[in-house]
Amino acid sequence: MNQQELVILQGTVSAIIFQNYDNGYAVLRLNLGNDQNITLVGTIPLPSVGERLMVTGRWSNHASYGRQFEAEFLERLMPQTASEILSYLSGRSIKGIGPRLAARIVERFGENTLLVMEREPERLAEVSGISDKKALEIGETFRLQVGMRHLLEFFTLHQLPAELAVKTYKLYGEAAIDLLYDDPYLLTEEGLEAPFGAVDRFAIDMGVSGEDPRRVDAGIVFELRYNLSAGHSFLPENKLIAATVQLLSVDNATVEVAVDRLVDTQRLVRDYLADTHIVYLPELYRAETYCARRLREQGTARLPAPAALNKKLQQAAKDSSLQYSSQQELALREAATGSLLLITGGPGTGKTTILRGILSLYDQMGLNCVLCAPTGRAAKRLTEVTGRDASTIHRLLGAGIDPQTGNLFFTHDEDNPLKADAVIVDEMSMVDVQLLGSLLQAVPQNARLILVGDPDQLPPVGPGFPFRDMLRSNMLPAVRLTEIFRQAQESLIVMNAHRVNRGEMPELKNAKSDFFFLPGRSEEQVAQTIVGLCTTRLPQNMGIPPEQIQVLCPTKKGPAGTAVLNQLLQANLNPPAPTKNERAFGDTLFREGDRVMQIRNNYDLLWKKTDGSQVGAGIFNGDIGIIRSIDSSTELVTVEFDDREADYDFTQLGELELAYALTVHKSQGSEYRAIVLSAWNASAYLLSRSILYTAITRARELLIIAGREDTIFTMTQNAQTGRRYSGLKLRLQHQEA
């Protein structure tokens, strides 16, 4: 048969050899009848054993796997006969139905089984072992699966990302395809945020013209949303217009008219700041202006000094077995009499001492104080250094996702404030302007607010840099700790962090310290040095187990970047074994025992305490855990995050990454017993002073840099952090803003 000839085949899926949930690619065995099985490959999203397919494609010969059929188009044919339906359901195509239950269902309903599941799912309760609740759950799963598959096939046909179909179906349900025919650019809106290029190609295929208002409006909004990831709260109007003209290849006048239209319909907000016309997304404008107003109010509010304040300060010092410096005492007095206080300082300047002192003072004043930080790791560290319970900001505010819109919401706000007399937030440099706005809404009007951080570390992942803006405005009560205490001066980690922050080269030659430099001749050698440090040298020579060592890199790329190092460290620290289950997702192979990181906020993911004492929801960006089990029968991966366990189904594995090696950005808010930093050439953006400073300050006992001395010099000299368009500083300085 000619390999180029287009052929139509029809058969039943007898086995799933491989499937990639990320892009829909699958390798299947297809039974054509008469015991004739072929290998079928192609984009076949969410295949199930037992389902019937009509496939159009071509035969080919693979060098390693032999003759196979490459699918170009396919149509799913739902099973018709009772035996086909039994085979389909027995293949666990519907979660909650295994072979035994499938047999009982088909015995009861025969050829009408799938019709019952779709239209009368409550009747499934007629089968023994199925409760009323489970019957409805099975029906909902089946309808979701059928609708999802139609949408996945539609997306595949139009070369749209397969994983986007899941979000689209959840948001628009069975109406999704009709809505996308009406306006393809719905896919670029908040909650979906598909790649604009892919959506634009799809829209043009659907007949949308280059200057169609839907296209121009979507391009403008996309530019603003895209720039949120670069930290910008707004864009100057002239820059927004220029960027959109370049994106869409239209003229200036077309974009200018569209900006006016979007402002008139309140999809954008136009403002004037620092002699410049600027444009915001409405939610960013609301967050920034609210933060400015609320911070000004809180910053000017004074509270009566508690009785016998001097005596209380003496007791706080006694509790800490310390004599406070003048700066520390000033911070404590401000915390006692002010409604808002910013505390900042580098490593070794006593921020932790201040926190403990404030907690002692507030205990004596009878105040109910809550502690929080931006990430789970930062909250855990705050608990360790204070001895008090601390949570993430999201968990404190009661974060959740609206099932109707897919938007984030918080249960605590101005109408339902926190039950607290004082709120302390650590690692404030990581907090973006939207999260700060949500926090301020939840802080009671008469409560004290203490914000602690280091603005010389990396800025937030989200828009704005509010902590730095607050400090630079010089309009809010702030204490800057500058004195490095004697004990901290004995640490080369601390002293080198301050050297780097001043633009000076760190000391690299001291062999009797907690800070070492190991030069490398090539990236590959650096990678092998790092693997040796983690697997043998530090565990055997210094008694530091691998799980207490964190490898950091400025970049993901290259032989000494996180991508390659994660593979090398996984192979050496958690090699394959017959007793360890594995699961591939995209280019990543997950294995039981792997260290992994959650890479996006998931407010709906359920967790339970490992001792069974509590259940809850929400695993957040930056949480690090260990894969405890991978179960192919239930398609679940169980990850233990400190004292909590969460189950991921196989379609959710894109939310996890191997975490043996992390980028410095992803280590923010965390502290590790030992840090090994890879230092090699990368883009100028990544070889910055703030990245080196942040990496050094992540180490508690030991820091080792492996790489090039000239790379360290480059990072030390590069003080550029990238300008962020933020109006918070100016709004704090001008009362009318």
Side-chain angles (χ1 to χ4, degrees):
M1 183 181 290
N2 189 321
Q3 287 191 351
Q4 299 304 311
E5 184 180 345
L6 206 60
V7 178
I8 299 176
L9 299 177
Q10 184 172 318
T12 302
V13 177
S14 57
I16 299 171
I17 300 169
F18 171 80
Q19 64 174 316
N20 185 324
Y21 290 98
D22 204 19
N23 58 22
Y25 181 81
V27 180
L28 312 176
R29 295 291 288 169
L30 192 69
N31 187 334
L32 305 180
N34 299 320
D35 294 326
Q36 184 184 0
N37 281 278
I38 66 163
T39 299
L40 174 67
V41 301
T43 302
I44 310 168
L46 299 178
S48 295
V49 171
E51 73 172 322
R52 296 168 62 235
L53 303 177
M54 182 179 290
V55 190
T56 303
R58 291 179 170 84
W59 290 100
S60 67
N61 280 295
H62 191 280
S64 301
Y65 303 114
R67 194 166 187 250
Q68 56 189 27
F69 193 77
E70 297 181 0
E72 294 187 16
F73 308 99
L74 67 89
E75 180 182 354
R76 286 186 148 99
L77 307 171
M78 295 307 291
Q80 302 294 322
T81 67
S83 62
E84 288 175 346
I85 293 170
L86 176 60
S87 176
Y88 171 67
L89 294 179
S90 296
R92 298 187 184 276
S93 55
I94 307 298
K95 188 173 288 188
I97 300 180
R100 292 181 180 178
L101 186 55
R104 295 202 298 272
I105 294 173
V106 175
E107 183 181 1
R108 175 69 183 83
F109 299 110
E111 295 179 357
N112 294 321
T113 294
L114 300 185
L115 198 61
V116 169
M117 290 173 65
E118 182 176 6
R119 300 182 182 178
E120 300 177 280
E122 66 278 1
R123 290 191 59 197
L124 293 171
E126 297 172 17
V127 177
S128 63
I130 300 181
S131 65
D132 292 340
K133 180 181 178 182
K134 185 171 183 177
L136 295 176
E137 288 175 349
I138 290 173
E140 180 63 26
T141 300
F142 181 67
R143 283 196 298 273
L144 174 66
Q145 189 179 84
V146 171
M148 183 78 72
R149 284 180 175 173
H150 287 318
L151 190 59
L152 279 165
E153 289 158 9
F154 177 80
F155 273 44
T156 301
L157 180 64
H158 293 286
Q159 298 181 312
L160 292 167
E163 65 272 17
L164 182 63
V166 179
K167 295 180 181 178
T168 306
Y169 192 85
K170 286 182 177 178
L171 202 56
Y172 297 119
E174 295 177 359
I177 293 177
D178 290 338
L179 289 170
L180 292 177
Y181 273 119
D182 184 56
D183 184 1
Y185 293 98
L186 286 175
L187 292 172
T188 65
E189 293 189 352
E190 187 177 13
L192 295 175
E193 295 162 4
F196 187 85
V199 177
D200 203 35
R201 287 192 297 272
F202 165 57
I204 291 169
D205 286 346
M206 295 292 102
V208 175
S209 69
E211 296 187 357
D212 188 299
R214 294 172 297 176
R215 180 173 187 258
V216 183
D217 290 357
I220 293 167
V221 174
F222 166 77
E223 282 293 345
L224 282 170
R225 290 204 184 284
Y226 176 79
N227 277 280
L228 295 181
S229 63
H232 301 308
S233 298
F234 64 81
L235 286 180
E237 187 167 351
N238 62 339
K239 291 185 180 294
L240 173 61
I241 290 170
T244 308
V245 165
Q246 185 176 9
L247 175 72
L248 302 179
S249 298
V250 296
D251 58 37
N252 276 48
T254 300
V255 179
E256 289 168 2
V257 169
V259 171
D260 289 338
R261 179 171 59 243
L262 290 167
V263 170
D264 290 342
T265 56
Q266 299 182 342
R267 291 182 64 192
L268 297 181
V269 176
R270 181 188 277 126
D271 204 357
Y272 190 72
L273 204 62
D275 300 322
T276 305
H277 290 287
I278 60 179
V279 181
Y280 288 85
L281 292 167
E283 61 269 26
L284 269 298
Y285 179 78
R286 288 193 298 268
E288 190 174 275
T289 53
Y290 177 83
C291 285
R293 177 177 62 79
R294 182 66 192 277
L295 287 167
R296 283 199 307 262
E297 292 172 355
Q298 194 116 7
T300 55
R302 305 302 296 175
L303 301 169
L309 176 57
N310 288 338
K311 186 176 180 181
K312 288 181 170 62
L313 293 176
Q314 291 170 4
Q315 183 61 47
K318 184 178 179 182
D319 291 343
S320 300
S321 302
L322 290 171
Q323 182 68 41
Y324 291 125
S325 69
S326 58
Q327 290 178 335
Q328 290 175 320
E329 185 170 331
L330 173 62
L332 287 166
R333 289 186 180 276
E334 283 289 334
T337 58
S339 182
L340 173 68
L341 176 62
L342 316 180
I343 301 175
T344 183
T349 57
K351 294 195 299 294
T352 299
T353 299
I354 286 292
L355 280 178
R356 291 176 181 144
I358 290 173
L359 287 169
S360 173
L361 179 62
Y362 285 172
D363 284 346
Q364 296 177 68
M365 294 168 64
L367 301 180
N368 173 32
C369 183
V370 297
L371 287 77
C372 60
T375 67
R377 301 289 294 184
K380 182 183 178 185
R381 178 170 168 264
L382 185 57
T383 295
E384 291 169 349
V385 299
T386 63
R388 311 287 183 100
D389 287 339
S391 71
T392 63
I393 297 173
H394 286 85
R395 188 162 289 126
L396 178 69
L397 300 183
I401 292 291
D402 186 327
Q404 299 300 317
T405 65
N407 293 333
L408 171 68
F409 72 91
F410 295 107
T411 58
H412 289 291
D413 54 20
E414 288 181 312
D415 297 325
N416 180 31
L418 296 165
K419 293 178 172 58
D421 302 312
V423 177
I424 295 178
V425 188
D426 197 15
E427 295 288 354
M428 264 300 298
S429 66
M430 298 179 66
V431 177
D432 64 47
V433 70
Q434 287 178 290
L435 184 55
L436 176 62
S438 297
L439 176 67
L440 290 172
Q441 287 184 50
V443 174
Q445 290 288 339
N446 58 349
R448 290 166 166 83
L449 179 61
I450 310 293
L451 305 177
V452 184
D454 183 349
D456 295 318
Q457 290 183 18
L458 289 167
V461 174
F465 199 163
F467 192 58
R468 185 180 63 184
D469 287 348
M470 284 186 269
L471 290 164
R472 290 185 177 181
S473 75
N474 293 316
M475 299 298 293
L476 303 174
V479 173
R480 294 171 172 83
L481 304 173
T482 57
E483 180 185 348
I484 305 174
F485 289 93
R486 183 173 57 81
Q487 185 176 0
Q489 292 177 15
E490 298 172 2
S491 166
L492 198 55
I493 292 173
V494 170
M495 301 311 293
N496 273 342
H498 286 277
R499 287 189 182 96
V500 167
N501 212 18
R502 295 193 298 266
E504 302 170 6
M505 269 293 282
E507 183 181 330
L508 303 177
K509 308 299 184 184
N510 190 337
K512 297 181 179 179
S513 70
D514 54 5
F515 190 113
F516 299 91
F517 172 65
L518 301 177
R521 293 187 300 273
S522 68
E523 282 188 272
E524 290 78 8
Q525 186 201 30
V526 168
Q528 290 304 318
T529 296
I530 290 172
V531 171
L533 286 167
C534 295
T535 56
T536 55
R537 293 170 66 178
L538 294 184
Q540 293 178 9
N541 299 337
M542 303 194 72
I544 303 177
E547 59 269 21
Q548 295 181 12
I549 304 167
Q550 183 61 58
V551 175
L552 299 182
C553 312
T555 179
K556 295 180 179 179
K557 300 177 181 178
T562 60
V564 171
L565 282 170
N566 267 316
Q567 293 179 350
L568 291 173
L569 290 165
Q570 180 192 46
N572 284 272
L573 294 173
N574 188 34
T579 57
K580 295 178 184 176
N581 293 324
E582 299 177 346
R583 183 71 192 185
F585 189 92
D587 295 330
T588 303
L589 179 67
F590 294 103
R591 183 176 297 135
E592 289 176 347
D594 276 338
R595 185 192 307 176
V596 292
M597 171 181 272
Q598 174 79 11
I599 60 171
R600 62 179 64 100
N601 290 333
N602 186 330
Y603 306 96
D604 294 331
L605 190 61
L606 298 177
W607 54 262
K608 61 182 179 182
K609 286 288 186 76
T610 50
D611 62 4
S613 63
Q614 187 181 352
V615 296
I619 300 294
F620 301 115
N621 185 14
D623 287 350
I624 291 180
I626 302 294
I627 294 178
R628 294 305 182 196
S629 67
I630 299 176
D631 190 333
S632 296
S633 64
T634 59
E635 297 192 348
L636 291 177
V637 175
T638 301
V639 181
E640 182 179 324
F641 297 95
D642 295 324
D643 60 346
R644 293 171 294 139
E645 283 187 349
D647 289 335
Y648 294 73
D649 69 47
F650 285 177
T651 64
Q652 295 175 300
L653 291 180
E655 297 188 12
L656 295 174
E657 283 185 355
L658 294 177
Y660 299 100
L662 301 175
T663 61
V664 177
H665 281 88
K666 290 184 178 179
S667 73
Q668 278 183 274
S670 301
E671 188 179 72
Y672 304 91
R673 184 178 174 188
I675 291 289
V676 178
L677 175 64
S678 170
W680 204 264
N681 289 340
S683 71
Y685 171 75
L686 294 172
L687 297 182
S688 70
R689 184 184 301 172
S690 60
I691 285 183
L692 180 57
Y693 176 76
T694 300
I696 293 171
T697 55
R698 300 308 90 204
R700 186 169 65 246
E701 294 182 17
L702 177 68
L703 185 131
I704 299 176
I705 301 180
R708 296 169 58 131
E709 188 169 344
D710 60 344
T711 297
I712 301 170
F713 177 78
T714 298
M715 297 178 80
T716 302
Q717 297 303 304
N718 180 12
Q720 300 299 316
T721 56
R723 180 182 180 186
R724 291 188 168 210
Y725 289 116
S726 165
L728 182 60
K729 174 186 168 184
L730 288 175
R731 294 183 190 282
L732 287 169
Q733 291 173 332
H734 297 89
Q735 296 294 320
E736 71 279 2

